[in-house]
Amino acid sequence: MFRRVLINWSSGWKGSVILTSFHYKKVMARQLHARRIEGVDKNLWVEFTQLAAEYKVVNLGQGFPDFGPPSFVQEAFCNAISGGASMHQYTRAFGHPRLVKILAKFFGRIVGREIDPMEELLITVGAYQALFCTFQALVDEGDEVIIVEPFFDCYQPMVMMAGGTPVYIPLKPKKVTGPALSSADWVLCPEELASKFNSRTKAIVINTPNNPLGKVFQRKELQMIADLCIKHDVLCISDEVYEWLTYDGEHHVKIASLPGMWERTVTIGSAGKSFSATGWKVGWAMGAGHVLKHLRTVHQNSVYHCATAAQEAVAAGFQREYDVFGTEESYFRQLPALLHAKRLKLAKSLRSVGLQPVLPQGGYFMITDIASLRVDLNDPSTKDEPYDYRFVKWLIKEKGLATIPVSAFYSPEHREDFQNYVRFCFVKEDSTLEAAEDILRQWSIKK
Ligand code: PMP
Ligand code: GLN
């Protein structure tokens, strides 16, 4: 009939009151959480990195190098730390001046226009925060945002938290004879893409080179997207964190460099990916001043700015890369050369155990069909999960090898069609790739 309830008021008053069961129900029915976080409480990386940490695994799961950044940026970080008091204090909210100036110069040369370092660049806590500021600043309740599948998983919850509605368009394997074994075989259907644009469409999100597929969008494909953006007055959010990582003569094209696109594109980048320093969490958003000013509003009222010394070190790294751009000395040339060999090494290991990987044109991931590995997954705790989730958990627990389920990069509507793939990360020491191959070999011999 009566219930005692503990109260902890924001004024600091603590105590308890006795309520009738009618009032008790009313008080407790008031929900604690904001509605904007409903449906976004699960996170792939939290779940799978925790699982990989619990078991002793060879880790080809989460995308980070198991080697350090090049010595010139490590030294730059050390110099920044010992470079005087100002390196330990706040810097300019929207980006350390030295960093925005060199990024403007660096990317200005690539996109063939003068970039205003103060108006057209925003430095953020990793590419994640650049994406978050973009969605919060530009997407409103009721807006539709087109997302190309497979997509880096955070786009969906970020659109939803901004009140937008994600609309999905899948890259599909071309109808070629035999399986699609290069990421180049995965394409957008032009008619299907065009059908997704309407008066509610606010933006389209693309990711090139793509995570997890490794697709590098060709100029023609980007032009098709650009034409639709211009026709329907839609923004383009282009996640280019793997921009330096292309293989076999592929070339990364910035959609912002196509005619009429600078004004409507936010380009997202990451120093973590550029310099193999994912823990530094320095990223950026680049775009026209009339767009970027809205991202600054979100940034100044949330994070304000990111670590000064890390920005100083990234600035030194970009200054060096600016000076050696296009030469053998450039890390942006050395890293893809190193990864090209690792990518072939991983592909060979996977083929040696009968798997058929999709060879990526860029990025540092490779997906492979696992349908041929008929594993009896009898773990009752995972029985309601998609096949690839169950498989990856089994692989971690039983074989000590961590990978990532590919259906996590699809919308609920299309997830079922892609639950036979897992993603391997190859930005790893050769010894790590060899340890993974050993696990796969031993298993295939035993079968
Ligand atoms: N976009 C893509 C496609 C990614 O793979 C990642 C993961 N690194 C991010 C954005 C986030 O990058 P950052 O670590 O710089 O926040
Ligand atoms: N981007 C990285 C990946 O795809 C990891 C992101 C994360 O751990 N949150 O593996």
mmCIF file with all atom_site columns, all heavy atoms in Angstrom, residues 86 89-98 304-309 311:
data_model
loop_
_atom_site.group_PDB
_atom_site.id
_atom_site.type_symbol
_atom_site.label_atom_id
_atom_site.label_alt_id
_atom_site.label_comp_id
_atom_site.label_asym_id
_atom_site.label_entity_id
_atom_site.label_seq_id
_atom_site.pdbx_PDB_ins_code
_atom_site.Cartn_x
_atom_site.Cartn_y
_atom_site.Cartn_z
_atom_site.occupancy
_atom_site.B_iso_or_equiv
_atom_site.pdbx_formal_charge
_atom_site.auth_seq_id
_atom_site.auth_comp_id
_atom_site.auth_asym_id
_atom_site.auth_atom_id
_atom_site.pdbx_PDB_model_num
ATOM 1   N N   . SER A 1 86  ? 53.062 26.857 -22.773 1.00 0.00 ? 86  SER A N   1
ATOM 2   C CA  . SER A 1 86  ? 51.870 27.049 -23.613 1.00 0.00 ? 86  SER A CA  1
ATOM 3   C C   . SER A 1 86  ? 51.363 25.734 -24.210 1.00 0.00 ? 86  SER A C   1
ATOM 4   O O   . SER A 1 86  ? 50.173 25.593 -24.495 1.00 0.00 ? 86  SER A O   1
ATOM 5   C CB  . SER A 1 86  ? 52.149 28.058 -24.727 1.00 0.00 ? 86  SER A CB  1
ATOM 6   O OG  . SER A 1 86  ? 53.078 27.508 -25.636 1.00 0.00 ? 86  SER A OG  1
ATOM 7   N N   . GLN A 1 89  ? 48.634 24.215 -22.102 1.00 0.00 ? 89  GLN A N   1
ATOM 8   C CA  . GLN A 1 89  ? 47.443 25.033 -21.796 1.00 0.00 ? 89  GLN A CA  1
ATOM 9   C C   . GLN A 1 89  ? 46.483 25.015 -22.989 1.00 0.00 ? 89  GLN A C   1
ATOM 10  O O   . GLN A 1 89  ? 46.805 24.482 -24.040 1.00 0.00 ? 89  GLN A O   1
ATOM 11  C CB  . GLN A 1 89  ? 47.871 26.469 -21.468 1.00 0.00 ? 89  GLN A CB  1
ATOM 12  C CG  . GLN A 1 89  ? 48.940 26.573 -20.389 1.00 0.00 ? 89  GLN A CG  1
ATOM 13  C CD  . GLN A 1 89  ? 48.597 25.869 -19.090 1.00 0.00 ? 89  GLN A CD  1
ATOM 14  O OE1 . GLN A 1 89  ? 47.421 25.662 -18.774 1.00 0.00 ? 89  GLN A OE1 1
ATOM 15  N NE2 . GLN A 1 89  ? 49.607 25.463 -18.332 1.00 0.00 ? 89  GLN A NE2 1
ATOM 16  N N   . TYR A 1 90  ? 45.332 25.634 -22.791 1.00 0.00 ? 90  TYR A N   1
ATOM 17  C CA  . TYR A 1 90  ? 44.364 25.728 -23.884 1.00 0.00 ? 90  TYR A CA  1
ATOM 18  C C   . TYR A 1 90  ? 44.979 26.390 -25.100 1.00 0.00 ? 90  TYR A C   1
ATOM 19  O O   . TYR A 1 90  ? 45.836 27.256 -24.983 1.00 0.00 ? 90  TYR A O   1
ATOM 20  C CB  . TYR A 1 90  ? 43.175 26.613 -23.473 1.00 0.00 ? 90  TYR A CB  1
ATOM 21  C CG  . TYR A 1 90  ? 42.294 26.065 -22.387 1.00 0.00 ? 90  TYR A CG  1
ATOM 22  C CD1 . TYR A 1 90  ? 41.930 26.878 -21.318 1.00 0.00 ? 90  TYR A CD1 1
ATOM 23  C CD2 . TYR A 1 90  ? 41.794 24.771 -22.438 1.00 0.00 ? 90  TYR A CD2 1
ATOM 24  C CE1 . TYR A 1 90  ? 41.090 26.400 -20.318 1.00 0.00 ? 90  TYR A CE1 1
ATOM 25  C CE2 . TYR A 1 90  ? 40.953 24.297 -21.444 1.00 0.00 ? 90  TYR A CE2 1
ATOM 26  C CZ  . TYR A 1 90  ? 40.604 25.105 -20.386 1.00 0.00 ? 90  TYR A CZ  1
ATOM 27  O OH  . TYR A 1 90  ? 39.774 24.650 -19.419 1.00 0.00 ? 90  TYR A OH  1
ATOM 28  N N   . THR A 1 91  ? 44.483 25.985 -26.264 1.00 0.00 ? 91  THR A N   1
ATOM 29  C CA  . THR A 1 91  ? 44.853 26.699 -27.480 1.00 0.00 ? 91  THR A CA  1
ATOM 30  C C   . THR A 1 91  ? 43.568 27.238 -28.107 1.00 0.00 ? 91  THR A C   1
ATOM 31  O O   . THR A 1 91  ? 42.499 27.214 -27.469 1.00 0.00 ? 91  THR A O   1
ATOM 32  C CB  . THR A 1 91  ? 45.657 25.793 -28.442 1.00 0.00 ? 91  THR A CB  1
ATOM 33  O OG1 . THR A 1 91  ? 46.054 26.559 -29.575 1.00 0.00 ? 91  THR A OG1 1
ATOM 34  C CG2 . THR A 1 91  ? 44.860 24.578 -28.897 1.00 0.00 ? 91  THR A CG2 1
ATOM 35  N N   . ARG A 1 92  ? 43.642 27.684 -29.340 1.00 0.00 ? 92  ARG A N   1
ATOM 36  C CA  . ARG A 1 92  ? 42.452 28.218 -30.012 1.00 0.00 ? 92  ARG A CA  1
ATOM 37  C C   . ARG A 1 92  ? 41.352 27.147 -30.071 1.00 0.00 ? 92  ARG A C   1
ATOM 38  O O   . ARG A 1 92  ? 41.628 25.995 -30.419 1.00 0.00 ? 92  ARG A O   1
ATOM 39  C CB  . ARG A 1 92  ? 42.852 28.673 -31.422 1.00 0.00 ? 92  ARG A CB  1
ATOM 40  C CG  . ARG A 1 92  ? 41.738 29.234 -32.253 1.00 0.00 ? 92  ARG A CG  1
ATOM 41  C CD  . ARG A 1 92  ? 42.272 29.747 -33.593 1.00 0.00 ? 92  ARG A CD  1
ATOM 42  N NE  . ARG A 1 92  ? 41.184 29.944 -34.528 1.00 0.00 ? 92  ARG A NE  1
ATOM 43  C CZ  . ARG A 1 92  ? 40.770 29.027 -35.383 1.00 0.00 ? 92  ARG A CZ  1
ATOM 44  N NH1 . ARG A 1 92  ? 41.362 27.851 -35.439 1.00 0.00 ? 92  ARG A NH1 1
ATOM 45  N NH2 . ARG A 1 92  ? 39.754 29.276 -36.183 1.00 0.00 ? 92  ARG A NH2 1
ATOM 46  N N   . ALA A 1 93  ? 40.114 27.523 -29.796 1.00 0.00 ? 93  ALA A N   1
ATOM 47  C CA  . ALA A 1 93  ? 39.023 26.541 -29.673 1.00 0.00 ? 93  ALA A CA  1
ATOM 48  C C   . ALA A 1 93  ? 38.877 25.667 -30.923 1.00 0.00 ? 93  ALA A C   1
ATOM 49  O O   . ALA A 1 93  ? 38.688 24.450 -30.832 1.00 0.00 ? 93  ALA A O   1
ATOM 50  C CB  . ALA A 1 93  ? 37.704 27.261 -29.409 1.00 0.00 ? 93  ALA A CB  1
ATOM 51  N N   . PHE A 1 94  ? 38.963 26.301 -32.100 1.00 0.00 ? 94  PHE A N   1
ATOM 52  C CA  . PHE A 1 94  ? 38.604 25.574 -33.331 1.00 0.00 ? 94  PHE A CA  1
ATOM 53  C C   . PHE A 1 94  ? 39.807 24.947 -34.021 1.00 0.00 ? 94  PHE A C   1
ATOM 54  O O   . PHE A 1 94  ? 39.682 24.412 -35.126 1.00 0.00 ? 94  PHE A O   1
ATOM 55  C CB  . PHE A 1 94  ? 37.871 26.531 -34.273 1.00 0.00 ? 94  PHE A CB  1
ATOM 56  C CG  . PHE A 1 94  ? 36.725 27.227 -33.597 1.00 0.00 ? 94  PHE A CG  1
ATOM 57  C CD1 . PHE A 1 94  ? 36.656 28.612 -33.532 1.00 0.00 ? 94  PHE A CD1 1
ATOM 58  C CD2 . PHE A 1 94  ? 35.727 26.483 -32.986 1.00 0.00 ? 94  PHE A CD2 1
ATOM 59  C CE1 . PHE A 1 94  ? 35.603 29.236 -32.885 1.00 0.00 ? 94  PHE A CE1 1
ATOM 60  C CE2 . PHE A 1 94  ? 34.671 27.098 -32.332 1.00 0.00 ? 94  PHE A CE2 1
ATOM 61  C CZ  . PHE A 1 94  ? 34.611 28.484 -32.283 1.00 0.00 ? 94  PHE A CZ  1
ATOM 62  N N   . GLY A 1 95  ? 40.944 24.979 -33.337 1.00 0.00 ? 95  GLY A N   1
ATOM 63  C CA  . GLY A 1 95  ? 42.137 24.345 -33.904 1.00 0.00 ? 95  GLY A CA  1
ATOM 64  C C   . GLY A 1 95  ? 43.361 25.179 -33.612 1.00 0.00 ? 95  GLY A C   1
ATOM 65  O O   . GLY A 1 95  ? 43.345 26.407 -33.786 1.00 0.00 ? 95  GLY A O   1
ATOM 66  N N   . HIS A 1 96  ? 44.388 24.491 -33.150 1.00 0.00 ? 96  HIS A N   1
ATOM 67  C CA  . HIS A 1 96  ? 45.682 25.111 -32.864 1.00 0.00 ? 96  HIS A CA  1
ATOM 68  C C   . HIS A 1 96  ? 46.138 25.832 -34.145 1.00 0.00 ? 96  HIS A C   1
ATOM 69  O O   . HIS A 1 96  ? 46.141 25.220 -35.226 1.00 0.00 ? 96  HIS A O   1
ATOM 70  C CB  . HIS A 1 96  ? 46.620 23.955 -32.515 1.00 0.00 ? 96  HIS A CB  1
ATOM 71  C CG  . HIS A 1 96  ? 47.936 24.350 -31.992 1.00 0.00 ? 96  HIS A CG  1
ATOM 72  N ND1 . HIS A 1 96  ? 48.107 25.286 -31.006 1.00 0.00 ? 96  HIS A ND1 1
ATOM 73  C CD2 . HIS A 1 96  ? 49.199 23.912 -32.318 1.00 0.00 ? 96  HIS A CD2 1
ATOM 74  C CE1 . HIS A 1 96  ? 49.388 25.397 -30.736 1.00 0.00 ? 96  HIS A CE1 1
ATOM 75  N NE2 . HIS A 1 96  ? 50.069 24.575 -31.526 1.00 0.00 ? 96  HIS A NE2 1
ATOM 76  N N   . PRO A 1 97  ? 46.499 27.115 -34.061 1.00 0.00 ? 97  PRO A N   1
ATOM 77  C CA  . PRO A 1 97  ? 46.812 27.868 -35.290 1.00 0.00 ? 97  PRO A CA  1
ATOM 78  C C   . PRO A 1 97  ? 47.822 27.169 -36.191 1.00 0.00 ? 97  PRO A C   1
ATOM 79  O O   . PRO A 1 97  ? 47.643 27.125 -37.409 1.00 0.00 ? 97  PRO A O   1
ATOM 80  C CB  . PRO A 1 97  ? 47.338 29.201 -34.749 1.00 0.00 ? 97  PRO A CB  1
ATOM 81  C CG  . PRO A 1 97  ? 46.639 29.358 -33.433 1.00 0.00 ? 97  PRO A CG  1
ATOM 82  C CD  . PRO A 1 97  ? 46.520 27.975 -32.860 1.00 0.00 ? 97  PRO A CD  1
ATOM 83  N N   . ARG A 1 98  ? 48.885 26.604 -35.598 1.00 0.00 ? 98  ARG A N   1
ATOM 84  C CA  . ARG A 1 98  ? 49.899 25.971 -36.456 1.00 0.00 ? 98  ARG A CA  1
ATOM 85  C C   . ARG A 1 98  ? 49.283 24.806 -37.243 1.00 0.00 ? 98  ARG A C   1
ATOM 86  O O   . ARG A 1 98  ? 49.619 24.580 -38.409 1.00 0.00 ? 98  ARG A O   1
ATOM 87  C CB  . ARG A 1 98  ? 51.059 25.476 -35.572 1.00 0.00 ? 98  ARG A CB  1
ATOM 88  C CG  . ARG A 1 98  ? 52.193 24.954 -36.414 1.00 0.00 ? 98  ARG A CG  1
ATOM 89  C CD  . ARG A 1 98  ? 53.424 24.600 -35.613 1.00 0.00 ? 98  ARG A CD  1
ATOM 90  N NE  . ARG A 1 98  ? 54.368 23.927 -36.510 1.00 0.00 ? 98  ARG A NE  1
ATOM 91  C CZ  . ARG A 1 98  ? 55.346 23.152 -36.117 1.00 0.00 ? 98  ARG A CZ  1
ATOM 92  N NH1 . ARG A 1 98  ? 55.550 22.940 -34.827 1.00 0.00 ? 98  ARG A NH1 1
ATOM 93  N NH2 . ARG A 1 98  ? 56.135 22.576 -36.996 1.00 0.00 ? 98  ARG A NH2 1
ATOM 94  N N   . TYR A 1 304 ? 35.043 22.095 -26.871 1.00 0.00 ? 304 TYR A N   1
ATOM 95  C CA  . TYR A 1 304 ? 35.805 23.348 -26.925 1.00 0.00 ? 304 TYR A CA  1
ATOM 96  C C   . TYR A 1 304 ? 37.100 23.206 -27.721 1.00 0.00 ? 304 TYR A C   1
ATOM 97  O O   . TYR A 1 304 ? 37.305 23.891 -28.681 1.00 0.00 ? 304 TYR A O   1
ATOM 98  C CB  . TYR A 1 304 ? 36.068 23.934 -25.524 1.00 0.00 ? 304 TYR A CB  1
ATOM 99  C CG  . TYR A 1 304 ? 36.611 25.335 -25.621 1.00 0.00 ? 304 TYR A CG  1
ATOM 100 C CD1 . TYR A 1 304 ? 35.816 26.373 -26.069 1.00 0.00 ? 304 TYR A CD1 1
ATOM 101 C CD2 . TYR A 1 304 ? 37.941 25.611 -25.319 1.00 0.00 ? 304 TYR A CD2 1
ATOM 102 C CE1 . TYR A 1 304 ? 36.318 27.655 -26.208 1.00 0.00 ? 304 TYR A CE1 1
ATOM 103 C CE2 . TYR A 1 304 ? 38.460 26.898 -25.455 1.00 0.00 ? 304 TYR A CE2 1
ATOM 104 C CZ  . TYR A 1 304 ? 37.642 27.914 -25.900 1.00 0.00 ? 304 TYR A CZ  1
ATOM 105 O OH  . TYR A 1 304 ? 38.138 29.176 -26.058 1.00 0.00 ? 304 TYR A OH  1
ATOM 106 N N   . HIS A 1 305 ? 38.013 22.340 -27.306 1.00 0.00 ? 305 HIS A N   1
ATOM 107 C CA  . HIS A 1 305 ? 39.153 22.064 -28.201 1.00 0.00 ? 305 HIS A CA  1
ATOM 108 C C   . HIS A 1 305 ? 39.824 20.780 -27.795 1.00 0.00 ? 305 HIS A C   1
ATOM 109 O O   . HIS A 1 305 ? 39.556 20.229 -26.736 1.00 0.00 ? 305 HIS A O   1
ATOM 110 C CB  . HIS A 1 305 ? 40.125 23.245 -28.284 1.00 0.00 ? 305 HIS A CB  1
ATOM 111 C CG  . HIS A 1 305 ? 41.194 23.302 -27.228 1.00 0.00 ? 305 HIS A CG  1
ATOM 112 N ND1 . HIS A 1 305 ? 42.155 22.328 -27.063 1.00 0.00 ? 305 HIS A ND1 1
ATOM 113 C CD2 . HIS A 1 305 ? 41.484 24.254 -26.315 1.00 0.00 ? 305 HIS A CD2 1
ATOM 114 C CE1 . HIS A 1 305 ? 42.968 22.682 -26.100 1.00 0.00 ? 305 HIS A CE1 1
ATOM 115 N NE2 . HIS A 1 305 ? 42.578 23.835 -25.613 1.00 0.00 ? 305 HIS A NE2 1
ATOM 116 N N   . CYS A 1 306 ? 40.711 20.262 -28.659 1.00 0.00 ? 306 CYS A N   1
ATOM 117 C CA  . CYS A 1 306 ? 41.377 19.016 -28.287 1.00 0.00 ? 306 CYS A CA  1
ATOM 118 C C   . CYS A 1 306 ? 42.844 19.287 -27.948 1.00 0.00 ? 306 CYS A C   1
ATOM 119 O O   . CYS A 1 306 ? 43.367 20.366 -28.212 1.00 0.00 ? 306 CYS A O   1
ATOM 120 C CB  . CYS A 1 306 ? 41.172 17.942 -29.346 1.00 0.00 ? 306 CYS A CB  1
ATOM 121 S SG  . CYS A 1 306 ? 42.196 18.096 -30.777 1.00 0.00 ? 306 CYS A SG  1
ATOM 122 N N   . ALA A 1 307 ? 43.490 18.263 -27.346 1.00 0.00 ? 307 ALA A N   1
ATOM 123 C CA  . ALA A 1 307 ? 44.785 18.437 -26.684 1.00 0.00 ? 307 ALA A CA  1
ATOM 124 C C   . ALA A 1 307 ? 45.803 19.236 -27.514 1.00 0.00 ? 307 ALA A C   1
ATOM 125 O O   . ALA A 1 307 ? 46.100 18.892 -28.658 1.00 0.00 ? 307 ALA A O   1
ATOM 126 C CB  . ALA A 1 307 ? 45.355 17.073 -26.329 1.00 0.00 ? 307 ALA A CB  1
ATOM 127 N N   . THR A 1 308 ? 46.348 20.281 -26.895 1.00 0.00 ? 308 THR A N   1
ATOM 128 C CA  . THR A 1 308 ? 47.268 21.204 -27.590 1.00 0.00 ? 308 THR A CA  1
ATOM 129 C C   . THR A 1 308 ? 48.522 20.486 -28.098 1.00 0.00 ? 308 THR A C   1
ATOM 130 O O   . THR A 1 308 ? 48.906 20.640 -29.264 1.00 0.00 ? 308 THR A O   1
ATOM 131 C CB  . THR A 1 308 ? 47.669 22.350 -26.629 1.00 0.00 ? 308 THR A CB  1
ATOM 132 O OG1 . THR A 1 308 ? 46.484 22.946 -26.124 1.00 0.00 ? 308 THR A OG1 1
ATOM 133 C CG2 . THR A 1 308 ? 48.521 23.401 -27.328 1.00 0.00 ? 308 THR A CG2 1
ATOM 134 N N   . ALA A 1 309 ? 49.167 19.706 -27.233 1.00 0.00 ? 309 ALA A N   1
ATOM 135 C CA  . ALA A 1 309 ? 50.444 19.080 -27.628 1.00 0.00 ? 309 ALA A CA  1
ATOM 136 C C   . ALA A 1 309 ? 50.230 18.100 -28.785 1.00 0.00 ? 309 ALA A C   1
ATOM 137 O O   . ALA A 1 309 ? 51.060 18.021 -29.700 1.00 0.00 ? 309 ALA A O   1
ATOM 138 C CB  . ALA A 1 309 ? 51.068 18.375 -26.427 1.00 0.00 ? 309 ALA A CB  1
ATOM 139 N N   . GLN A 1 311 ? 47.964 18.340 -31.091 1.00 0.00 ? 311 GLN A N   1
ATOM 140 C CA  . GLN A 1 311 ? 47.761 19.153 -32.305 1.00 0.00 ? 311 GLN A CA  1
ATOM 141 C C   . GLN A 1 311 ? 49.097 19.696 -32.824 1.00 0.00 ? 311 GLN A C   1
ATOM 142 O O   . GLN A 1 311 ? 49.336 19.739 -34.029 1.00 0.00 ? 311 GLN A O   1
ATOM 143 C CB  . GLN A 1 311 ? 46.826 20.321 -32.004 1.00 0.00 ? 311 GLN A CB  1
ATOM 144 C CG  . GLN A 1 311 ? 45.407 19.909 -31.681 1.00 0.00 ? 311 GLN A CG  1
ATOM 145 C CD  . GLN A 1 311 ? 44.477 21.117 -31.725 1.00 0.00 ? 311 GLN A CD  1
ATOM 146 O OE1 . GLN A 1 311 ? 44.314 21.758 -32.750 1.00 0.00 ? 311 GLN A OE1 1
ATOM 147 N NE2 . GLN A 1 311 ? 43.858 21.432 -30.604 1.00 0.00 ? 311 GLN A NE2 1
#
